Amino acid sequence: MMTRCLLLLLLLLPTAARAAGPLRLRTLVRDAKTSLKNTSGQADAEKALLEVADTSLVTDGQRMEIYHLCARLELSQNDAENLKLYLRQEYDTLAFFRTILKMHQYLLLSDSVSRACGLKNPHAAKARSLLLRHRMNLLGGGKYLLSREEYGEAFPFLDMYLRVPEERLMARDTYLQEDTLLRKVSFWAAMAAYNSDNPRGVLRHIDRAIDGGTEAQRASLVECKTNCYLALRDSTAWLATLLYGVKTYPRHDYFYLHLMDYYNANGYYERGLLMSDSLLHIVGGRSIYWFGKCQMYLGLRDYDRCIDAADNVIALDTTFVDAYYDKGIAYLNKAVLLSRAMDTDIRSATGKQDRVRLRGLYQYAREPMERVRELAPDDKQRWARPLYTIYLNLNLGQELAEMERILGDDQ
């Protein structure tokens, strides 16, 4: 008898659970509507509704209704804060703005559920009206949080302000696309995202921000865009944006420098030379472009042209430490090549000439490398080893001892 009763109970459980779902939902909806009338308990009612919104207890149509009811609950809480402001009572500024943002989120979520499931949204007209009425409060919230440098908090407000005109719910309100604030808000949104390590958020709005900026602002914004692609490890977009930046803003050195680093690291020396020559032709003689050529020639092991390019850099900027360094390295590399190919017979005329030439190369390397030391005295790891090699081959005992001491101290 007990086994038969247990079996009957197990058979009835699924039916009971299914019946409990609609019953619980009706109770939650009733409680939520009561909280709207009483203007109290809205937060708890909303939390309870959201707990069942994405469960199997509700249908798509009920889910659409839940999100719309949550939007009404947020609006009710906003009205309460707004009333405090009207009565000159103490009120919560952040709560005021956050309820507006959440109302927007729930209204759009409700509409997206209806569209995804092919249902008619009976609240579309009301939702559209609320979105239009409260849209400027989104901007107010974003600006308020920007003033507090709370960039991560500010971004959703600015993002929603820009998103609303693009929603299908607002398709008839084409004038929103002509909003003169869109470009400015896009700039604020992109910067809020950038300052809160949100590269995807930056990329969502930065193109319109670029369109609305001055030339100096556009160059900096394209730089931000490049950094975002790098953060996302999208190498194709990163390289394409670098190329766009260097061609569009040739005087904004960020793009050129990073492009040269990329070419140098990957052995694309000929590309680097073409780019440098192009910019020298378009912009004119700048030390940075000549240094780009210097690095590319060093990579190609064309040391004579590397030295010539370094001399052009130094003629334009006598403090360009990297040019002195590359010039010194080029002479040292020429010395290494000569030492491998030279006549080792100390009695032959050719051998004597080679030794004179070799000593000359080390002497030529000495001046630029000592200049590196002079300009960057703390960068010992960079100049101490090359100077040790130079002094050793020039038989400069005192200078060699000093380098030995420096290298020993740094180990």
Side-chain angles (χ1 to χ4, degrees), residues 17-36:
R18 285 195 298 271
L23 179 62
R24 183 187 178 198
L25 182 59
R26 284 197 295 271
T27 301
L28 294 177
V29 170
R30 183 193 64 211
D31 292 346
K33 291 182 177 179
T34 300
S35 74
L36 286 173

Side-chain angles (χ1 to χ4, degrees), residues 46 70-78 99 102-103 106:
E46 179 184 323
C70 286
R72 290 175 60 193
L73 289 167
E74 289 293 339
L75 181 60
S76 177
Q77 294 173 79
N78 180 264
T99 52
K102 293 179 76 173
M103 182 199 75
Y106 290 135

